Amino acid sequence: MHKTIQHIINSAPPGPQTPVDTVVKSMLSSFLESEQEHHGMLLDKERRDAEASLNPDLFIDEMKPVAIFNRFDLADSNGKNCGEYRIVYARDVPVPDNRSLGRFTMIFEATYPNPIPEEGSRGCLPVAKFWDSLTRPGIVDLHREWSIWQFLYQGITQDGIDLPPAINFHHYQGDMGQIRVNMFVQEDWQLREFRTGMDDNLDIIFSPVSVKTNPVIQYLNEANDNGMTTDQQLIAKEFRDDFINKGVRALSNPEFDGLVNEIDILNSLEIFVEDKFNNVQSAVNASSDATKVVSNAFRERIRSKINGLGSTTDDPALILERLNTQTCAGCHELSNEKRVFKQFVWPKSLGFVHVNEQGDLSEALLGTFLPRRVQILEDFICDPPLPVMTVKKEQKKVVVDSEFISPMGNDQVVFNIEDPDIQLGKSKPTRKWKGLRLPVVDQDGKRHRMILRGAKLIHTINSLKQKPMDLSVKNPLNGKAQFLLIFRRNDNKHLPSGTYRLAEGDDATIDVIAKSAKTGQVIEMLKYKLNIQIERKNK
């Protein structure tokens, strides 16, 4: 585990070199907290003195790798990422049985960026092919292990595409991956979630965050509102309404999709939980069991919704058991062998974990989840998505003059970009960009060369004469210059603007994506690669 954390430190933004034990200590010290801020509210969490008292150096030595998981099945359908790649570590201590105290597992779940984002989800094909290559006949274990090590820590090349190492500071933060822990050094079992970050001293830390898809189950009983703050009461009511309006239907997939196969049914269960509804811990006790928390009145609301949807089942208990399966506490323990569909029950874990200290896998993984993940990977390789239609522009060099009057960003440089008409069947809308304005801030006013990164323009085809644009920027970087980006059509209507910091020498890419307003699918993409030089004008 020392190696993994060191790679995270090495790939972090520039700053003091944080010792590995300092990073671990940031996680262990968080177990002394009895509350955690979440979306402007303070949520209670259990103080874990036994875990907090672990010696960081000894803890690092005790944590041994027991499994690596390829979660290509979690890849974003629009190609935002290519799934998660996970390393599971377990504390190497005597474990007489799966319910022994003293146990601690830690999972580094890196979300992998799309290496060819302009191709949409097809850009993930090299990643999929890499993992598939490990199953070829004749591959010996030593070769397979070395290939996986390179993918995780060094980076590889697949089909001519460079794939960066999966273990990276940025792959465990923001909307990327996370680090999760199963801990039962003391009772009760709990799962918590962390992301990489930096403290005020620029030391790398593991910062506690909410546990995703783990709603505060207490919100589902109206009687609990009395002990909550006003803000929490509002969130609780909103979650109850959201669960009725969206959650019940999502958890009824087996009936509405007409599924009969056990693996299909169990893998179809899903629910999306907005982060503001999530808890900051997931514990195996009655307070996490929806079947024990929900009031009779709310059960009737569920029954009424099921009947209104026309489902073939009218049993609220099934819906609540299915909700449990989507939480950490449920999937790891509470839902073991609980009926979730007529004759089918939720498959068993190994008692709190799905992979134990010896690397044994649970019945749930072996019989239900791994077969589906294999199928998803194979289907993607055999029938990959169509590439996004791309028109590549030749690189343009634009040299402009900018006079630095003040460091407040009042100066602007303007250059013109024009592209040909987009051909969309019988419709031939024309759009020519009159200019891109770049107010520049340079605190010392010295001449320098700057390049933009990742301005992405989403263009709705059937609203060309209106104002349908939306501007977003991928991977904003800290740097010396500040740019205010404003796109303008030749009718002088502007896009929403935003301020982003960029570093000298960054790659320049502007993608203009044409999307169908009716279906939301990408019809065409125009890709610009720009080399922008900004020079001070001498007077």
Side-chain angles (χ1 to χ4, degrees):
M1 194 170 77
H2 187 284
K3 179 192 296 291
T4 295
I5 298 176
Q6 188 63 62
H7 272 75
I8 290 173
I9 294 169
N10 294 344
S11 58
Q17 186 71 6
T18 308
V20 171
D21 65 328
T22 298
V23 180
V24 172
K25 187 176 181 179
S26 71
M27 176 188 72
L28 297 178
S29 63
S30 73
F31 299 140
L32 292 174
E33 299 168 354
S34 58
E35 58 185 13
Q36 183 173 317
E37 193 278 333
H38 181 57
H39 285 266
M41 301 178 296
L42 286 177
L43 298 185
D44 293 335
K45 64 180 182 181
E46 182 186 4
R47 182 182 169 112
R48 307 281 297 195
D49 291 271
E51 283 84 2
S53 65
L54 293 171
N55 179 281
D57 290 313
L58 182 59
F59 175 79
I60 293 167
D61 290 339
E62 290 174 338
M63 298 298 286
K64 306 299 182 184
V66 294
I68 293 173
F69 287 96
N70 156 21
R71 294 303 307 272
F72 186 81
D73 59 296
L74 296 178
D76 181 76
S77 60
N78 294 319
K80 184 178 179 181
N81 64 66
C82 299
E84 290 184 3
Y85 300 92
R86 302 177 171 181
I87 308 177
V88 183
Y89 294 90
R91 192 172 179 224
D92 188 17
V93 295
V95 180
D97 60 66
N98 284 329
R99 297 181 179 275
S100 298
L101 297 181
R103 304 173 69 198
F104 198 112
T105 65
M106 196 166 177
I107 315 175
F108 290 79
E109 302 175 336
T111 295
Y112 200 80
N114 188 335
I116 321 175
E118 61 269 24
E119 290 193 3
S121 58
R122 186 185 177 89
C124 294
L125 193 56
V127 180
K129 285 186 174 181
F130 162 71
W131 287 98
D132 182 64
S133 71
L134 302 179
T135 66
R136 288 198 300 260
I139 297 290
V140 298
D141 286 345
L142 185 61
H143 175 80
R144 186 179 293 111
E145 292 168 7
W146 172 242
S147 297
I148 293 174
W149 186 94
Q150 287 182 302
F151 175 80
L152 293 173
Y153 296 104
Q154 184 175 302
I156 62 171
T157 299
Q158 176 72 38
D159 296 344
I161 302 298
D162 290 334
L163 301 181
I167 306 302
N168 185 292
F169 174 89
H170 302 284
H171 297 172
Y172 302 99
Q173 63 172 190
D175 59 354
M176 298 293 277
Q178 57 281 320
I179 299 159
R180 294 194 292 180
V181 299
N182 289 316
M183 51 185 183
F184 25 114
V185 178
Q186 70 183 54
E187 295 183 311
D188 292 322
W189 173 94
Q190 274 200 13
L191 185 143
R192 294 193 186 176
E193 188 166 314
F194 298 81
R195 291 212 165 122
T196 52
M198 301 179 76
D199 64 14
D200 293 338
N201 296 320
L202 300 183
D203 280 331
I204 308 305
I205 61 172
F206 289 160
S207 178
V209 295
S210 63
V211 184
K212 306 307 175 286
T213 319
N214 279 264
V216 180
I217 297 298
Q218 299 300 310
Y219 289 165
L220 293 179
N221 190 321
E222 304 87 336
N224 294 324
D225 290 3
N226 295 329
M228 298 179 184
T229 65
T230 301
D231 288 342
Q232 285 180 306
Q233 289 175 359
L234 293 174
I235 289 291
K237 182 181 183 305
E238 186 178 353
F239 177 59
R240 289 193 292 270
D241 293 341
D242 187 79
F243 183 79
I244 294 297
N245 294 330
K246 301 176 184 178
V248 172
R249 172 58 184 85
L251 293 170
S252 300
N253 281 340
E255 287 79 16
F256 284 100
D257 294 344
L259 302 178
V260 294
N261 177 273
E262 181 177 6
I263 291 180
D264 290 341
I265 289 170
L266 297 177
N267 279 282
S268 74
L269 299 180
E270 62 179 1
I271 185 172
F272 173 74
V273 179
E274 289 188 56
D275 190 47
K276 61 184 175 182
F277 302 138
N278 282 324
N279 209 334
V280 295
Q281 62 187 16
S282 182
V284 173
N285 54 43
S287 67
S288 298
D289 188 342
T291 65
K292 292 181 170 59
V293 170
V294 170
S295 65
N296 290 332
F298 195 74
R299 287 175 185 267
E300 290 307 309
R301 286 186 66 183
I302 294 173
R303 189 190 307 278
S304 177
K305 181 65 176 182
I306 294 172
N307 292 334
L309 289 170
S311 174
T312 55
T313 180
D314 65 349
D315 187 357
L318 276 184
I319 298 298
L320 294 173
E321 287 289 4
R322 292 174 185 180
L323 171 61
N324 279 345
T325 68
Q326 301 306 291
T327 68
C328 295
C331 185
H332 282 253
E333 177 70 10
L334 294 176
S335 297
N336 282 350
E337 298 188 296
K338 295 293 180 65
R339 188 173 71 90
V340 293
F341 182 85
K342 297 178 181 176
Q343 71 273 32
F344 298 135
V345 299
W346 191 252
K348 291 193 298 183
S349 69
L350 290 173
F352 303 116
V353 296
H354 284 286
V355 54
N356 65 17
E357 288 78 358
Q358 291 73 45
D360 300 324
L361 302 182
S362 69
E363 175 187 306
L365 279 174
L366 291 172
T368 302
F369 302 130
L370 290 180
R372 174 52 51 87
R373 295 173 194 175
V374 170
Q375 179 186 343
I376 289 172
L377 182 65
E378 291 178 344
D379 288 350
F380 186 90
I381 293 171
C382 294
D383 187 19
L386 294 175
V388 175
M389 187 183 299
T390 302
V391 179
K392 292 187 176 180
K393 301 292 185 178
E394 64 180 29
Q395 189 172 36
K396 301 179 181 181
K397 178 176 288 187
V398 182
V399 180
V400 297
D401 290 326
S402 177
E403 181 179 2
F404 295 92
I405 299 174
S406 73
M408 300 306 295
N410 296 321
D411 305 310
Q412 294 183 342
V413 294
V414 180
F415 62 90
N416 294 327
I417 303 175
E418 292 189 356
D419 63 14
D421 297 352
I422 296 179
Q423 305 296 323
L424 297 175
K426 297 180 180 179
S427 174
K428 297 182 179 181
T430 300
R431 68 197 190 323
K432 294 186 177 181
W433 307 104
K434 189 171 182 179
L436 170 64
R437 291 177 177 252
L438 301 171
V440 178
V441 171
D442 188 317
Q443 293 181 351
D444 54 20
K446 293 181 180 179
R447 190 174 97 173
H448 61 325
R449 175 180 171 184
M450 305 298 297
I451 301 178
L452 302 180
R453 173 185 288 276
K456 179 181 283 188
L457 183 64
I458 308 300
H459 194 89
T460 307
I461 290 302
N462 69 351
S463 304
L464 287 170
K465 296 181 180 180
Q466 301 174 21
K467 198 177 177 184
M469 317 302 181
D470 180 31
L471 180 65
S472 63
V473 171
K474 301 175 291 184
N475 301 324
L477 301 175
N478 291 326
K480 297 179 180 177
Q482 184 181 65
F483 295 92
L484 177 63
L485 308 185
I486 303 176
F487 284 86
R488 184 174 62 181
R489 301 198 307 259
N490 55 356
D491 60 3
N492 287 322
K493 290 187 177 180
H494 291 173
L495 281 138
S497 61
T499 300
Y500 309 94
R501 292 187 179 276
L502 304 151
E504 289 191 53
D506 287 341
D507 296 332
T509 304
I510 296 178
D511 294 334
V512 180
I513 300 178
K515 299 181 74 174
S516 166
K518 185 175 182 180
T519 66
Q521 294 184 342
V522 173
I523 299 173
E524 188 170 12
M525 174 186 285
L526 302 176
K527 183 179 182 64
Y528 299 96
K529 290 188 176 181
L530 305 174
N531 183 308
I532 304 170
Q533 297 180 14
I534 299 176
E535 300 178 356
R536 186 176 183 186
K537 188 182 209 178
N538 295 318
K539 279 197 173 183

